Amino acid sequence: NAGVMQNPRHLVRRRGQEARLRCSPMKGHSHVYWYRQLPEEGLKFMVYLQKENIIDESGMPKERFSAEFPKEGPSILRIQQVVRGDSAAYFCASSPPLAPLSYNEQFFGPGTRLTVL
Amino acid sequence: GNSVTQMEGPVTLSEEAFLTINCTYTATGYPSLFWYVQYPGEGLQLLLKATKADDKGSNKGFEATYRKETTSFHLEKGSVQVSDSAVYFCASMNRDDKIIFGKGTRLHILP
């Protein structure tokens, strides 16, 4: 069973361009989470999605950032008109369908390191 | 809101030394608690977890006990190895499934 896959692993963009980050969850997992890690910081929650639904986007910047998890295919985190401050590592995690009365373990991918020039 | 505070690094130890990395949390309710490890250039790996008070998580010689009375989840290892050099993150999660991470503690083990 392959783990969470993210691509690309490294992405370089110039200011004003668009960045698209992809995440394929583990087989059988229906929940996807995106986190951002700024240099020398911990990870910060961005968004939580299920298939075709955004469950919680309270950590997403209000502008330029969007996320989707379509019925088919990977989850996409899209950043429009990137700025230098968007340079960070973006991690995706996935989890299986919720188990009642239990916490929902998240499995992390290797991350995409975005550099904005 | 919920938060996690862990000791700042870097922490530098000699091989076979005893390790403690302190972690405290604030949360509503009773969160699950985790330690994650990040090796250079890699993603996060779950090291250990505890889901209720007084639980002890353990893995690869690392241990941490969920202390509700002191809201702590300190990471310990009796004898560290060079291969333990990494960044360690303490984290909490409530039922909303959002993981709250500490800032991380970089650990260097010298041979």
Side-chain angles (χ1 to χ4, degrees):
Chain A
N1 190 8
V4 178
M5 310 284 283
Q6 289 188 250
N7 69 81
R9 294 291 306 274
H10 299 275
L11 182 61
V12 179
R13 285 286 177 266
R14 296 191 181 280
R15 279 179 296 171
Q17 291 184 319
E18 179 179 286
R20 279 183 180 243
L21 288 63
R22 295 174 192 80
C23 169
S24 296
M26 288 178 69
K27 188 176 180 181
H29 286 193
S30 54
H31 300 229
V32 165
Y33 312 79
W34 285 94
Y35 294 82
R36 176 165 66 174
Q37 184 182 29
L38 294 170
E40 304 301 319
E41 294 281 328
L43 281 72
K44 295 281 196 295
F45 169 82
M46 299 181 75
V47 62
Y48 165 27
L49 309 107
Q50 294 178 22
K51 288 280 187 181
E52 300 183 282
N53 279 313
I54 296 175
I55 306 302
D56 183 341
E57 57 182 346
S58 58
M60 287 279 270
K62 293 286 184 274
E63 297 177 349
R64 302 188 296 108
F65 284 71
S66 62
E68 62 176 9
F69 187 18
K71 188 176 180 182
E72 302 291 337
S75 175
I76 306 287
L77 179 67
R78 183 181 177 208
I79 311 172
Q80 295 178 289
Q81 298 176 319
V82 295
V83 301
R84 288 225 174 99
D86 297 333
S87 296
Y90 291 83
F91 289 94
C92 168
S94 73
S95 66
L98 280 170
L101 301 178
S102 175
Y103 84 97
N104 214 17
E105 183 170 343
Q106 295 178 23
F107 297 81
F108 283 80
T112 294
R113 279 158 180 80
L114 172 66
T115 301
V116 179
L117 302 177
Chain B
N2 296 357
S3 67
V4 173
T5 303
Q6 61 183 105
M7 63 189 283
E8 292 191 19
V11 173
T12 302
L13 295 171
S14 297
E15 205 166 21
E16 299 183 4
F18 183 86
L19 168 72
T20 301
I21 302 179
N22 289 340
C23 171
T24 56
Y25 67 91
T26 61
T28 53
Y30 302 100
S32 297
L33 301 175
F34 309 89
W35 277 98
Y36 284 87
V37 57
Q38 185 178 31
Y39 297 103
E42 297 185 14
L44 271 72
Q45 300 175 26
L46 179 64
L47 180 61
L48 54 83
K49 63 181 184 287
T51 57
K52 61 183 188 297
D54 300 324
D55 268 3
K56 178 188 281 189
S58 61
N59 186 25
K60 299 181 182 179
F62 291 90
E63 292 183 340
T65 302
Y66 191 141
R67 301 279 187 208
K68 191 176 73 168
E69 63 277 11
T70 54
T71 61
S72 65
F73 193 55
H74 305 321
L75 182 68
E76 296 181 337
K77 186 173 185 181
S79 176
V80 292
Q81 307 300 314
V82 172
S83 57
D84 294 328
S85 297
V87 181
Y88 291 80
F89 292 95
C90 185
S92 72
M93 184 172 75
N94 276 334
R95 295 269 180 218
D96 61 4
D97 289 338
K98 283 188 287 192
I99 300 180
I100 309 296
F101 286 91
K103 289 191 173 182
T105 302
R106 188 175 297 276
L107 176 65
H108 294 291
I109 306 299
L110 304 175

